[in-house]
Each structure stands twice: as C-alpha cells, then as structure tokens.
Amino acid sequence: MHAKFSAEELAFQEEVRGFMRDRFTADLAARIHHPKTFRDAMIEWQILLDGQGWAANGWPEEHGGSGWTATQKYIYTTELAAAGAPDVVPMGIKMVAPVLYSYGSEEQKARFLPPTKSSEIWWCQGYSEPGAGSDLAALQTRALRDGDDYIIDGTKIWTTYAQHADWIFCLVRTDTLGKPQQGITFLLIDMKSPGVTVSPIISVDDEHHLNEVNFENVRVPIANRIGEENQGWTYAKALLTYERTALSGVSYSKRILTNIRNLASQVATDGARLIDDSDFRARLADVEMEVMALEFLELRVLSDLDSGGASGMESSLLKLKGTELQQAVQSLQWDVAAGFGGILPEADDELWGSDGNIARREYMFGRACTIFGGSNEVQRNIIAKYALGL
C-alpha cells in the first residue's frame, strides 16, 4: 500500500465527499440520532448507500460487493466519519453476511443475502448470556431436535437493537458431551416466532440500545442452521474476527479528535483556551499519535486481506488498542465539554449545547467498548497465545 493516493483514488475520494455532502442531510442526521426515528432513518440511509453499491462494500463481488481495494475502503470510512455519517448497522451486513456467504447453503445465500444487503432484514446477535459473556463457550441456551425442527429454550443478553430486529443469528447448545466448544450450533431465528420475548435494558447513557431476549419452546426449522450441527464455534470465531476488526473505531476517533482540537482552540467560559494548556496539549498529541499508529496497522491488515490473507490475532490487537483509544478520546471530549460548561442535556451553550450532551453520553456508554465484542482481557490472552506462544 502506498502512502499517497493515485489520481483515480483522489477522484473516488471526491465522489464519496460529494455523496456525503448531498445525501447525508441535516434532517436525516437528526432522525438517525433520535431514538423514535432511528430505525427507519437508518434503513433509509443504508438504502441510499446500497443504491451507490457501497452498503456491502466488504462482500465478494459475486454476492454484490463493491470490489474495492483496501485504499478505497480506507477512503470511504474516513470520509464517512468526517461527514459525521454512520456506517451500516453491522450485525447484518458486516457480521452474519460473511458467515452466510462463507458457510451457508446456496438456498440460504439466496434467501438472506439480498434482503440483508437492501436493508429489508434487520439482524441482531444472540451470543452472550447471563452466565456466558467473555467465556462464550459456557453458553447454555439449548436446542433439542424435534423432527425437522429445533426447540430453543434459554436467554440471551446485551442484545443490541433486538427491539428493532427481524431476525437473530444465535449460538445454541446442541450437545453437552466433550469440550464446550464442540457442542455449539449456529442458527438463524425469526424474531416473530412464538415464544420469543424481548425485554429492554436501559444503559448508563439513558439509551435503549440493549436487550434481554428470552426463548421459550421456540420452534426453528433445521433449514435455518448454518453449516453442520455442533460446528457453530468455527463459524462464530470467523464472525468475531469480522466484528473485532470493525471495532477499532479509527475513523470515529479521528473525527472526534478533529472536533476536540477545533473546540479547544475556542475561548472557554473562563476566558482561556484549553489548547494553550501544556498538559492538555500533551495529552491530545499523545492520543493523536497513537491513533495514527493504529490507523497504519489497520491499513496493513486491510492490505493483507486484499492479498488473500486472513485477519486473526491482528483483529484482536485492533479491537484491544482501538477501544482503549476510543475511551481516551471520549475522556478528552468530556474535558473540552466541561470547559464550556455545557455537559448537561438542557444546556443551550452555542458551542456545547447538544454536543455537550453527546460528550456525556459517549463517555458513559464508551466504558462498555472494552467489554463488548470479547473483553480486552480476552483479547490479551488471544494475542499472548498466537503472537507470543504463551
């Protein structure tokens, strides 16, 4: 990968910028950020992206992907973040879809991939349970064979956007003998199935992202099983690699750092500029340099994937360092907001009215980013095992 863009890449960058400027309107952004209109607005945004051929840009071309190079993917995610626009909701296009086109039957690919790409299906992820989070192989949700169906009983927790979802991709236990990883199966479950109950969990930022999903005698056709029975752990590990790579959040961190530097250069409520404080400048510079280093690691991983390589331990490293840097960025954002006295929702400060509230919410919810997607302690164990042989 070269550090400078070619003429074609610069033209692509301008195309993406123009699209974001014209199509990601202030009205659409406001509706995406409001919980009552979030789902419909996100679907509208994803349909716009799909109309450009950009929604499923990481998919193979034979399944409707863009065929982009690693550099084009980098340009796209950078410009997306710079515009303040969200990426697609990842559970469908970025998480279950790669499992479908890698391990699913032809019938499953035909049934689920097109409506996932066009946002006709909203997916959620059924992995964690009340007694099985980072130790995912300890899951106990049971699936018993009954003719051509499985009967599902159990509970999933921390299920993001389950209140909006049409389908859930779920890890269930089909065998209790042998190692825990050997008795897990990967199922697709219709959320409208009788016996599925969704209960909200309000998180520390006062938002309803998370849910508990209970399954009571839920009947699921065997045709909804991905791959072989008891082999779901293999498919789950592949999915987690895609998820953890996406959790690095480099583009998000870069955008917030730009906002922090701009606002820290403004005169705060005490008549001073935060950027003139040497301690703050040093903190900001340290985080900016670490984000830049992580960005180049992410580019190397993307380049390796373009060349046919696989992201294994590197995805854990990206998740580990990326989420720690997101928290560092959110702490800086909080400090700048406090400097303007606008961290409360009712504040009407011209600089930190709504932005101050965003700083508060992102700081509070950001405490979870080192836990979800596999806690950072687990990522350190993976790195120690595969990189250091410990």
Side-chain angles (χ1 to χ4, degrees):
M1 174 175 286
H2 300 289
K4 293 183 178 180
F5 294 151
S6 67
E8 293 78 9
E9 289 162 348
L10 289 171
F12 175 71
Q13 182 183 51
E14 189 53 42
E15 179 188 3
V16 176
R17 284 180 179 174
F19 177 84
M20 298 298 167
R21 184 173 55 248
D22 296 340
R23 308 308 293 273
F24 188 64
T25 63
D27 173 72
L28 180 57
R31 287 188 285 121
I32 286 173
H33 285 105
H34 195 289
K36 291 184 178 179
T37 53
F38 166 74
R39 186 184 192 276
D40 289 344
M42 272 303 302
I43 289 173
E44 179 182 333
W45 174 235
Q46 290 173 173
I47 290 172
L48 288 173
L49 293 175
D50 190 42
Q52 289 290 114
W54 295 349
N57 58 75
W59 292 15
E61 288 184 85
E62 61 266 29
H63 297 301
S66 64
W68 284 351
T69 64
T71 303
Q72 286 176 301
K73 293 173 186 174
Y74 166 74
I75 290 171
Y76 173 75
T77 55
T78 300
E79 296 302 325
L80 195 74
D87 202 350
V88 295
V89 177
M91 281 74 77
I93 288 176
K94 292 195 170 185
M95 292 165 65
V96 73
V99 174
L100 278 164
Y101 61 64
S102 298
Y103 302 104
S105 66
E106 292 305 315
E107 292 78 10
Q108 289 169 338
K109 294 174 190 177
R111 180 183 179 187
F112 290 110
L113 286 178
T116 297
K117 180 173 173 288
S118 62
S119 297
E120 295 170 61
I121 295 179
W122 187 298
W123 291 90
C124 63
Q125 178 187 39
Y127 274 25
S128 295
E129 298 182 4
S134 294
D135 183 16
L136 186 58
L139 66 90
Q140 294 299 314
T141 295
R142 292 299 305 274
L144 299 177
R145 287 286 293 268
D146 182 30
D148 291 332
D149 295 333
Y150 289 104
I151 306 299
I152 315 299
D153 286 282
T155 301
K156 297 295 181 178
I157 202 167
W158 316 124
T159 313
T160 304
Y161 297 142
Q163 75 272 30
H164 299 314
D166 305 301
W167 285 76
I168 182 171
F169 54 94
C170 211
L171 294 182
V172 297
R173 184 158 300 286
T174 43
D175 194 345
T176 58
L177 301 177
K179 292 182 179 180
Q181 293 88 342
Q182 294 174 345
I184 293 173
T185 296
F186 196 109
L187 290 182
L188 311 178
I189 303 175
D190 189 337
M191 291 291 283
K192 297 185 292 296
S193 301
V196 177
T197 304
V198 178
S199 302
I201 298 173
I202 306 304
S203 53
V204 71
D205 60 351
D206 299 325
E207 296 274 339
H208 178 195
H209 316 276
L210 307 172
N211 302 271
E212 181 178 281
V213 181
N214 190 63
F215 302 93
E216 185 175 358
N217 295 321
V218 176
R219 188 170 291 272
V220 179
I222 291 174
N224 289 7
R225 184 187 70 209
I226 300 295
E228 298 298 319
E229 185 172 283
N230 297 330
Q231 297 302 309
W233 189 252
T234 299
Y235 318 135
K237 288 193 298 182
L239 186 150
L240 286 170
T241 297
Y242 293 112
E243 179 183 9
R244 289 166 183 165
T245 302
L247 289 174
S248 65
V250 168
S251 296
Y252 163 83
S253 294
K254 287 176 63 180
R255 176 174 63 83
I256 300 302
L257 283 170
T258 298
N259 292 343
I260 287 170
R261 183 169 284 280
N262 290 338
L263 286 161
S265 301
Q266 306 280 343
V267 177
T269 52
D270 62 357
R273 299 190 319 161
L274 196 55
I275 200 69
D276 294 326
D277 181 275
S278 58
D279 289 340
F280 177 83
R281 278 203 314 276
R283 285 178 60 201
L284 179 59
D286 283 346
V287 176
E288 287 175 331
M289 286 187 289
E290 291 204 59
V291 169
M292 182 182 294
L294 185 66
E295 180 178 25
F296 277 92
L297 172 61
E298 185 173 59
L299 289 172
R300 286 199 297 272
V301 171
L302 288 172
S303 185
D304 287 344
L305 291 173
D306 267 359
S307 303
S311 175
M313 179 275 295
E314 293 83 359
S315 68
S316 291
L317 185 57
L318 285 169
K319 193 274 178 182
L320 169 65
K321 191 61 180 177
T323 52
E324 289 180 345
L325 286 175
Q326 287 173 53
Q327 290 182 343
V329 167
Q330 289 158 354
S331 295
L332 282 169
Q333 183 177 227
W334 177 274
D335 288 346
V336 176
F340 287 95
I343 61 173
L344 299 176
E346 62 269 24
D348 58 1
D349 185 276
E350 124 183 307
L351 283 173
W352 279 102
S354 60
D355 286 343
N357 189 30
I358 290 171
R360 176 187 65 86
R361 290 163 48 211
E362 291 191 352
Y363 176 87
M364 296 178 77
F365 187 74
R367 303 311 92 189
C369 69
T370 50
I371 301 172
F372 56 62
S375 72
N376 282 14
E377 288 76 14
V378 169
Q379 306 316 311
R380 288 186 175 90
N381 287 340
I382 292 172
I383 294 165
K385 179 178 180 179
Y386 291 103
L388 303 177
L390 299 178

